[in-house]
C-alpha cells in the first residue's frame, strides 16, 4: 500500500471509502505513515462536520408549501382565463404562421403543376406539307417557321387572300383593307370585330375529315380528308375557315 | 387519486401538472422539494433566499415545462438546472453575504431547542455549524456545487454529474480539491486569534 493508493481511495465516495479504512492493509499504512495518518484524520473530521451540517438542515417550511400550491392554482387559473380571452390569431405564433403560409404556397404550386400536366389542351390538325397523309388525330404543328409566321400575321379586319397549295398571300393591298368582312372565301365561325378580337390573327392549315365539312371537294384525298385554312385569333379561338381547293 | 399517480414517473407528473392536474403537481412537489430547498439553502446560506429559489423553480417548471426533453435527463436534473440559474441570479443581484450569527441570535436558537444538551454545548454546536456553512459558502462556485450536491444533498457522483452537465471524472476531481480547500478553510477559522496585529505604536511607547 502506497500513499497514492490511499489517496485514490478518497477520490471515490467519501462515505463508502471511510468504511474501508478498517481494512488491515490500509490500517497498517495509516499507522506507519504520518502524512497519511493526518490526511485520514482530516477527512474523518470533515466527514463528521458535513454530517452535522446535513443533520442540521432546516426542514422545508409549511409556509413554502402553501405558497407553492397557491402559485400553482393561480397559474392554472390565469392560463385558463388567458386561453378563453385570447383570440385564435394571437395564439398562433409567428413561426407557426410562416410554416402554414409556406405549406399553403407549396400546395398551390403543386395543384397548378398538376393541372398543367393532366388537363389536356385542345389539339388542332395541321397539315405539315400540305401533301402528307395525316392520322385522324395528329398533334398540333404550325405550318410555318417564326419568320414566315410574322409575315403572315394579319389584323382581324384585314382581308386574307386565299393561297393555293397551302401558301399565304402577302398582298399588302389586301392586308391593309379595313372592312369588317373576313378575308376572301373565309367562312365566319364566330363574330369578330375590332373590339371582340383585337390584334393580329394567324392562318394555319389543317386537315379535316371530309364528312366534318359536309362536302366532298375535289381535293379530298384517299383518307377522305380535306385541307382547310383556319383563321386563329390571338386568344387561340378559330374565327374563320376556308376549304383549300 | 394520489395512489393512481404514485407509479408515474416525474416526467409524466410534470406533463399532468402542466395540463392542470393539481394532485400530480403536489406529488411532484413532494418528490423534489426537499432536495431543491436544501440545495438552495446550502448554496445561498440563507433560508429566505432558499424559499424564494424553491418557489421560483416550481413556477418555472410549470411555465417552461414544455421545454423539458426526456432524452436530456430526468425532471430532477431539469429542476436543479433551473435552481442553479436562480441561485446565480440571486447572488448577482443581492451579493448575499451571511456572516456568523450574533450571540443574541444563537441564544434564541438555543432557547428554542430545549433538549438534553446543555446551553453552552448547543451554542458551541450551532457556532460550529455556522462556521462550516460559512466555509462552504466561501468556496468557489464550481467547488461549492459539488460539495453541496455530493456531500450535503447526498447525490451519487453520476447524479451530480448529470445535474452539473459534466463528466463523472470532473465531479470526482472537483470534489477532491473542494474537500482539501474546505479542510484548509476550517483549519483557518478554527485558529484562535491570539496574535494581535501591530498597531504601529510600539516604538512610541519605548
Amino acid at each position: 500500500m502506497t500513499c497514492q493508493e490511499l489517496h485514490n481511495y478518497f477520490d471515490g465516495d467519501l462515505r463508502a471509502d471511510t468504511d474501508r479504512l478498517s481494512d488491515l492493509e490500509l490500517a497498517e499504512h495509516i499507522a506507519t505513515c504520518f502524512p497519511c495518518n493526518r490526511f485520514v484524520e482530516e477527512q474523518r473530521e470533515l466527514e463528521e462536520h458535513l454530517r452535522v451540517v446535513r443533520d442540521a438542515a432546516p426542514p422545508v417550511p409549511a409556509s413554502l408549501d402553501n405558497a407553492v400550491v397557491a402559485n400553482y392554482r393561480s397559474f392554472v387559473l390565469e392560463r385558463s382565463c388567458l386561453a378563453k380571452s385570447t383570440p385564435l390569431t394571437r395564439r398562433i405564433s409567428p413561426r407557426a404562421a410562416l410554416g402554414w403560409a409556406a405549406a399553403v404556397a407549396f400546395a398551390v404550386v403543386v395543384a397548378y403543376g398538376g393541372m398543367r400536366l393532366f388537363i389536356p389542351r385542345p389539339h388542332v390538325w395541321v397539315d405539315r406539307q400540305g401533301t402528307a397523309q395525316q392520322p385522324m388525330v395528329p398533334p398540333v404543328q404550325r405550318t410555318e417557321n417564326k419568320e414566315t409566321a410574322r409575315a403572315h400575321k394579319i389584323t382581324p379586319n384585314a382581308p386574307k387572300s386565299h393561297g393555293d397549295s397551302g401558301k399565304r398571300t402577302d398582298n399588302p393591298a389586301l392586308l391593309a383593307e379595313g372592312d369588317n368582312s373576313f378575308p376572301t372565301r373565309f367562312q365566319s365561325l364566330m363574330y369578330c370585330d375590332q373590339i371582340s378580337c383585337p390584334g393580329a390573327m394567324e392562318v394555319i392549315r389543317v386537315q379535316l375529315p371530309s364528312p366534318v365539312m359536309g362536302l366532298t371537294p375535289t381535293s379530298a384525298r384517299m383518307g377522305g380528308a380535306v385541307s382547310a385554312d383556319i383563321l386563329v385569333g390571338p386568344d387561340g379561338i378559330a374565327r374563320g375557315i376556308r376549304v383549300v381547293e | 387519486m394520489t395512489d393512481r399517480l404514485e407509479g408515474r414517473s416525474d416526467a409524466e407528473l410534470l406533463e399532468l401538472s402542466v395540463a392542470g392536474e393539481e394532485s400530480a403537481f403536489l406529488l411532484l412537489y413532494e418528490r423534489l422539494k426537499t432536495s431543491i430547498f436544501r440545495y438552495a439553502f446550502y448554496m445561498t446560506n440563507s433560508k429566505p433566499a432558499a424559499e424564494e429559489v424553491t418557489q421560483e423553480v416550481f413556477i418555472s417548471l410549470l411555465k417552461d415545462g414544455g421545454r423539458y426533453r426526456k432524452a436530456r435527463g430526468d425532471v430532477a436534473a431539469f429542476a436543479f438546472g433551473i435552481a442553479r440559474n436562480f441561485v446565480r441570479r440571486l447572488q448577482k443581484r443581492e451579493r448575499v453575504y451571511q456572516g456568523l450569527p450574533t450571540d443574541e441570535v444563537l441564544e434564541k436558537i438555543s432557547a428554542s431547542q430545549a433538549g438534553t444538551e446543555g446551553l453552552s454545548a448547543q451554542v458551541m454546536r450551532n457556532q460550529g455549524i455556522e462556521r462550516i456553512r460559512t466555509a462552504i459558502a466561501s468556496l468557489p462556485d464550481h467547488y461549492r456545487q459539488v460539495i453541496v450536491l455530493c456531500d450535503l444533498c447526498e447525490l451519487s457522483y453520476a447524479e451530480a454529474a448529470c445535474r452539473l452537465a459534466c463528466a463523472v471524472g470532473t465531479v470526482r476531481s472537483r470534489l477532491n480539491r473542494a474537500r482539501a480547500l474546505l479542510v484548509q478553510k476550517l483549519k483557518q477559522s478554527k485558529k484562535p486569534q491570539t496574535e494581535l496585529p501591530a498597531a504601529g505604536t510600539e516604538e512610541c511607547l519605548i
Side-chain angles (χ1 to χ4, degrees):
Chain A
M1 169 67 68
T2 61
C3 297
Q4 185 57 47
E5 281 173 344
L6 185 130
H7 280 264
N8 286 344
Y9 278 119
F10 286 91
D11 285 346
D13 196 343
L14 185 64
R15 292 181 298 277
D17 284 333
T18 45
D19 296 339
R20 295 197 63 177
L21 294 176
S22 57
D23 287 1
L24 189 64
E25 202 178 359
L26 266 174
E28 276 178 8
H29 181 79
I30 291 164
T32 53
C33 179
F34 177 69
C36 286
N37 191 359
R38 206 175 59 180
F39 173 75
V40 170
E41 283 305 314
E42 280 172 0
Q43 293 298 319
R44 276 181 176 161
E45 199 179 349
L46 177 64
E47 172 57 18
E48 180 59 23
H49 284 319
L50 292 173
R51 191 191 58 76
V52 169
V53 172
R54 264 199 311 271
D55 293 345
V60 180
S63 60
L64 177 63
D65 295 349
N66 296 334
V68 170
V69 173
N71 281 340
Y72 176 74
R73 283 177 184 156
S74 64
F75 166 77
V76 171
L77 193 70
E78 193 180 314
R79 204 184 49 179
S80 62
C81 290
L82 201 69
K84 280 176 191 170
S85 63
T86 311
L88 183 68
T89 50
R90 299 189 81 186
R91 271 184 274 168
I92 297 173
S93 68
R95 189 179 287 183
L98 269 176
W100 277 106
V104 168
F106 179 73
V108 166
V109 168
V110 167
Y112 180 72
M115 281 171 65
R116 298 270 305 195
L117 271 175
F118 296 112
I119 294 179
R121 302 173 82 180
H123 288 244
V124 182
W125 296 356
V126 178
D127 183 4
R128 196 178 284 171
Q129 296 295 327
T131 54
Q133 192 172 350
Q134 297 293 326
M136 285 304 287
V137 187
V140 178
Q141 284 175 348
R142 300 278 172 174
T143 54
E144 63 281 310
N145 59 22
K146 280 186 181 176
E147 288 167 7
T148 54
R150 278 183 72 186
H152 292 156
K153 279 185 180 174
I154 58 172
T155 56
N157 295 328
K160 178 73 182 170
S161 67
H162 66 89
D164 51 356
S165 68
K167 288 192 176 178
R168 279 126 181 102
T169 50
D170 292 336
N171 190 343
L174 286 173
L175 291 172
E177 217 171 306
D179 61 351
N180 283 336
S181 62
F182 274 95
T184 315
R185 291 192 185 178
F186 272 94
Q187 288 181 338
S188 174
L189 293 175
M190 190 178 182
Y191 178 74
C192 183
D193 59 10
Q194 285 280 18
I195 298 169
S196 61
C197 46
M201 290 202 280
E202 279 185 273
V203 177
I204 58 172
R205 174 148 306 170
V206 300
Q207 275 198 329
L208 297 170
S210 55
V212 172
M213 299 302 293
L215 48 85
T216 316
T218 52
S219 61
R221 297 191 173 84
M222 285 172 67
V226 66
S227 297
D229 287 339
I230 308 280
L231 257 180
V232 181
D235 50 5
I237 297 172
R239 306 288 182 182
I241 186 168
R242 73 175 173 196
V243 176
V244 178
E245 294 180 356
Chain B
M1 179 70 83
T2 315
D3 295 340
R4 181 175 60 83
L5 297 168
E6 276 296 337
R8 301 282 185 108
S9 68
D10 288 351
E12 288 171 327
L13 289 179
L14 178 63
E15 204 174 320
L16 289 170
S17 305
V18 173
E21 196 165 322
E22 190 175 321
S23 51
F25 176 74
L26 290 176
L27 192 58
L28 183 66
Y29 175 66
E30 279 300 320
R31 284 186 191 176
L32 299 179
K33 71 174 181 182
T34 310
S35 54
I36 298 282
F37 178 77
R38 281 191 180 181
Y39 170 77
F41 175 73
Y42 291 129
M43 289 299 290
T44 58
N45 203 13
S46 157
K47 202 173 163 185
E51 286 184 30
E52 189 186 333
V53 168
T54 310
Q55 273 199 54
E56 293 292 339
V57 165
F58 282 96
I59 291 171
S60 294
L61 264 183
L62 294 171
K63 283 184 179 168
D64 303 328
R67 281 166 50 194
Y68 167 69
R69 298 284 173 272
K70 204 173 179 179
R72 296 180 67 180
D74 56 359
V75 175
F78 184 57
F80 260 91
I82 297 171
R84 202 172 58 183
N85 289 337
F86 272 114
V87 166
R88 277 184 190 159
R89 213 174 295 169
L90 196 75
Q91 283 171 340
K92 268 187 189 174
R93 195 182 68 199
E94 295 183 1
R95 298 281 172 202
V96 177
Y97 174 73
Q98 296 290 319
L100 289 171
T102 58
D103 292 346
E104 202 178 293
V105 174
L106 287 173
E107 276 174 15
K108 273 185 187 174
I109 294 167
S110 305
S112 66
Q113 293 178 345
T116 51
E117 275 183 305
L119 190 69
S120 59
Q122 279 189 12
V123 170
M124 290 296 286
R125 186 170 165 272
N126 288 330
Q127 272 184 339
I129 291 169
E130 272 308 313
R131 191 167 56 87
I132 298 161
R133 279 183 191 159
T134 310
I136 293 168
S138 68
L139 287 172
D141 189 59
H142 54 290
Y143 289 152
R144 192 171 36 174
Q145 297 271 4
V146 287
I147 285 278
V148 167
L149 289 176
C150 295
D151 288 339
L152 298 178
C153 293
E154 297 182 284
L155 298 182
S156 69
Y157 286 7
E159 284 172 325
C162 182
R163 305 284 189 275
L164 297 172
C166 63
V168 176
T170 310
V171 171
R172 200 184 293 272
S173 62
R174 277 185 190 174
L175 193 59
N176 204 9
R177 288 181 207 142
R179 280 173 184 161
L181 203 57
L182 193 58
V183 168
Q184 276 182 14
K185 281 183 181 286
L186 287 172
K187 269 184 193 170
Q188 281 171 6
S189 65
K190 223 181 201 178
K191 274 183 189 171
Q193 293 186 345
T194 49
E195 293 171 11
L196 289 171
T201 55
E202 292 85 354
E203 286 181 9
C204 298
L205 292 172
I206 297 169

